[in-house]
Amino acid sequence: MTEFARDAILVVVETGPSGELEKAAASLLGAAAEVGTPIALVLASPGAGSAAAAEAAALGAARVLIAETPDPSALGVPGVDALAAAVKQVQPDAILISHSLNGRDLAGRYAARSRAAISVDAIGVSRDDEGVVAHHSVYGGAYDVTSTATFGPPVITVRQGSIEARATAQPQASETLAVTGSGKPAARIDSFEEAVVATSRPELRGAAKVVAGGRGLGSEEQFALVGQLADTLGAAVGASRAAVDAGYIPQSHQVGQTGVSVSSQLYIALGISGAIQHRAGMQTAKTIVAINKDSDAPIFEIADFGVVGDLFKVVPQLISALEARKKL
Amino acid sequence: MKIIVLVKEVPDTYGDRKLNLETGLADREASEAVIDEIGERALELALTYADAHAGAEVAILSLAPEGATATIRKGLAMGAGSATLVSDEGLRGADLGLTAETLAAAIRRVGFDLVIAGNVSTDGSGGMIPAMLAELLDVPLATGLSSVEISDGAVSGSRGVESGVQKVSANLPAVISITEALPGPRFPNFKGIMAAKKKPLETLTLADLGITPDNPDAARSIMLTVAEKPPRAAGVKIVDEGDAGEKLAAFLVENRLA
């Protein structure tokens, strides 16, 4: 058996429907490289392993363990079995997993099985004398907290879009991981419908720029203005709960405490008052811009650039000013 | 059919929530405690099934300080048949591992065909407990369901993942978690509130469940530091005088955001 680095950080990444690595892979490997030697465990659909391993090496994995699932319709369990086998081999200092729905299931099941300590929704990792430490931003970004394990490698889930660090590409060194199935009961995936990408807009989760609309847009038709500005900026579209409840846009676009949390470079809030639940989901954005008629709207308390005005006048002018600059 | 619904008492997100900077624990005095809304939606799903299926039992389970009985009574007033509260000093500051072990022991004791939880709480935002329970209870897991069908021996539903939507199903017993796409909770009526007073509400301790909080074989997650972030300061605020769009464009370009 080959030796693994003593400061190995095991990074778990899944492949998507067309075999490519999940988007979070680059930031997970980037975070791992800051505290140790990134070793990737690629959970691949059958036949997708070696291409995904090459991708993981290009993103900075010093070694790649490939686990092609023996049963693609079994939900979750094959991934946990593979992770258990990989941890045994690699003996990592920490395990990094995306804080996605599947990532959370994997981390939770594995931690319960192995009695490992779990740190959730980290926005960064570091090392102290005793081991790897997870950094969290909690209660909607109001507090900074660090956590670690009493012993053993912590299982850390990482918030999507929160880590900018990227690792340097490594020469490809991959091997197939031998996995013994646990035989644990699993739910079945009966069918899968790939999301139709109707627009070229980025996904809200992990987006670098977000334009979000609130009740101030007034109607579903007028909400289209949010999309127009988003397209001008190459941004994702978000919404407040009020806009979702009013039926302007589906719930999957909701930003806030009970929706998606974003930590984008730019967050533009159009016609959003800034209720505390909404602020909880976006106030860690680097730059916040707000346009609202109501000069007392709480969103202005946290905006880097606030415009008190009619968004139906300001936004079209903003779009044409930005378009004019593009033509220069 | 016996359905256990997990509910969690959380600080109300309508107010500012506080952490105690010495202990790192939630400052429960600082905000009003409410049932997490996603847990109420989970309860609504179970009650809707029970309304249509005679013989279905809905039981609430919560792990919280003793004072949480008031919020749990609300669940009984909505229509759940019984409730169990696990409350113990040894659970103060419990991490996910200890929480999951304790809940799993309580679920085994109550007995279940289906466990329904919310996908993510508004305070911890971990979203791990359902997965940990499925592993500890040795049953299938289907998380993040945006629609749910419960039948005699199985549960199925739609599950939105990064790349699309999965249709999933599992034989019972199973653990599922639901999203906000499911209907909101009913309001307790007067009859329900009166009936809730007579419904069984059992309080259990760790000793009742045979759980030792300081099990030397289980690694725990510990908080090393906690710090309050200085509130975000407001920046420039202008009133539109007909050129705010131009000014905003200049701001974005200057900051390399456009």
Side-chain angles (χ1 to χ4, degrees):
Chain A
M1 200 190 297
T2 38
E3 287 277 312
F4 287 86
R6 289 180 62 108
D7 65 348
I9 306 293
L10 187 61
V11 172
V12 190
V13 280
E14 269 196 308
T15 62
S18 22
E20 77 291 351
L21 279 190
E22 65 178 303
K23 278 199 195 118
S27 61
L28 291 170
L29 288 161
E34 290 193 316
V35 291
T37 305
I39 310 293
L41 167 62
V42 171
L43 302 176
S45 36
S50 60
E55 220 184 313
L59 292 172
R63 298 272 290 279
V64 182
L65 299 172
I66 302 169
E68 292 186 357
T69 180
D71 181 1
S73 69
L75 181 59
V77 170
V80 188
D81 296 347
L83 176 53
V87 173
K88 225 171 240 166
Q89 265 200 39
V90 176
Q91 299 288 321
D93 284 351
I95 299 150
L96 301 188
I97 303 174
S98 172
H99 193 69
S100 62
L101 185 58
N102 283 334
R104 297 195 315 252
D105 286 355
L106 177 63
R109 289 197 87 137
Y110 172 74
R113 189 183 288 189
S114 64
R115 297 291 194 271
I118 195 155
S119 287
V120 299
D121 198 22
I123 55 162
V125 289
S126 63
R127 222 181 231 282
D128 68 9
D129 297 341
E130 322 226 338
V132 176
V133 174
H135 298 245
H136 316 263
S137 173
V138 308
Y139 277 1
Y143 294 87
D144 288 324
V145 167
T146 58
S147 72
T148 192
T150 47
F151 61 86
V155 178
I156 302 171
T157 60
V158 178
R159 184 183 296 180
Q160 290 150 294
S162 64
I163 289 177
E164 285 173 52
R166 293 293 178 266
T168 38
Q170 299 293 322
Q172 196 183 335
S174 59
E175 62 212 78
T176 301
L177 177 72
V179 181
T180 315
S182 63
K184 288 258 181 189
R188 316 291 310 170
I189 304 168
D190 300 319
S191 67
F192 175 70
E193 199 178 313
E194 198 168 344
V196 186
V197 184
T199 72
S200 51
R201 276 177 208 150
E203 260 181 78
L204 181 55
R205 213 179 279 278
K209 297 176 190 175
V210 175
V211 179
R215 182 106 69 191
L217 269 301
S219 70
E220 191 182 347
E221 291 70 38
Q222 295 186 136
F223 199 89
L225 187 61
V226 176
Q228 286 169 28
L229 178 57
D231 291 342
T232 305
L233 289 163
V237 169
S240 70
R241 182 171 183 161
V244 170
D245 286 348
Y248 303 165
I249 186 158
Q251 204 267 332
S252 53
H253 290 269
Q254 185 177 317
V255 172
Q257 185 70 56
T258 49
V260 176
S261 285
V262 297
S263 299
S264 49
Q265 297 299 308
L266 173 65
Y267 190 89
I268 303 187
L270 304 178
I272 291 177
S273 65
I276 192 160
Q277 295 93 330
H278 185 79
R279 300 209 307 266
M282 45 66 77
Q283 65 188 2
T284 51
K286 295 264 175 348
T287 300
I288 296 172
V289 171
I291 305 177
N292 202 306
K293 276 194 300 206
D294 174 11
S295 65
D296 294 328
I299 192 88
F300 287 124
E301 292 163 19
I302 57 165
D304 299 286
F305 196 102
V307 176
V308 181
D310 180 355
L311 67 96
F312 295 105
K313 292 194 179 125
V314 177
V315 174
Q317 188 182 61
L318 170 62
I319 291 173
S320 50
L322 292 172
E323 296 290 352
R325 280 169 200 270
K326 276 188 197 168
K327 286 184 193 129
L328 288 181
Chain B
M1 169 84 69
K2 184 154 191 181
I3 303 175
I4 295 182
V5 179
L6 300 185
V7 303
K8 187 174 185 190
E9 190 182 72
V10 297
D12 195 345
T13 54
Y14 278 86
D16 273 322
R17 299 167 296 168
K18 300 267 179 221
L19 284 184
N20 180 314
L21 294 177
E22 272 168 36
T23 61
L25 302 177
D27 182 351
R28 290 180 185 268
E29 304 292 308
S31 29
E32 200 171 327
V34 295
I35 300 186
D36 205 351
E37 188 191 307
I38 198 71
E40 289 187 328
R41 283 177 200 256
L43 181 55
E44 178 63 37
L45 170 65
L47 293 173
T48 305
Y49 178 82
D51 288 346
H53 297 83
E57 269 181 77
V58 178
I60 292 171
L61 171 61
S62 190
L63 187 158
E66 237 167 287
T69 42
T71 55
I72 288 168
R73 287 266 177 223
K74 186 188 171 194
L76 292 174
M78 279 170 66
S82 64
T84 304
L85 169 65
V86 186
S87 198
D88 196 301
E89 270 302 301
L91 289 168
R92 187 180 285 276
D95 73 340
L96 287 167
L98 178 57
T99 303
E101 280 170 45
T102 306
L103 287 173
I107 290 166
R108 272 196 214 101
R109 180 182 159 123
V110 173
F112 73 105
D113 294 297
L114 179 62
V115 175
I116 309 178
N119 58 345
V120 178
S121 71
T122 53
D123 58 348
S125 44
M128 303 275 178
I129 290 292
M132 300 178 90
L133 290 177
E135 188 71 25
L136 295 173
L137 297 167
D138 217 359
V139 298
L141 168 74
T143 48
L145 299 181
S146 53
S147 70
V148 180
E149 296 273 331
I150 303 168
S151 61
D152 237 359
V155 59
S156 60
S158 300
R159 181 172 188 266
V161 291
E162 312 275 284
S163 48
V165 177
Q166 297 171 336
K167 297 257 188 223
V168 299
S169 60
N171 292 333
L172 301 183
V175 173
I176 64 168
S177 77
I178 56 131
T179 73
E180 265 203 330
L182 268 86
R186 63 192 66 188
F187 288 104
N189 57 24
F190 180 70
K191 205 175 127 204
I193 293 166
M194 293 312 288
K197 297 187 175 165
K198 294 183 189 137
K199 288 179 178 170
L201 195 167
E202 189 182 20
T203 303
L204 298 177
T205 62
L206 287 176
D208 294 332
L209 295 169
I211 302 270
T212 341
D214 43 6
N215 173 2
D217 296 331
R220 298 293 181 206
S221 172
I222 46 169
M223 203 182 266
L224 293 175
T225 60
V226 54
E228 193 165 8
K229 232 187 256 177
R232 210 181 162 110
V236 185
K237 183 171 161 188
I238 61 167
V239 176
D240 184 24
E241 288 168 340
D243 60 352
E246 296 280 354
K247 282 183 177 158
L248 181 49
F251 170 83
L252 293 178
V253 170
E254 193 183 312
N255 289 283
R256 298 175 187 218
L257 293 166

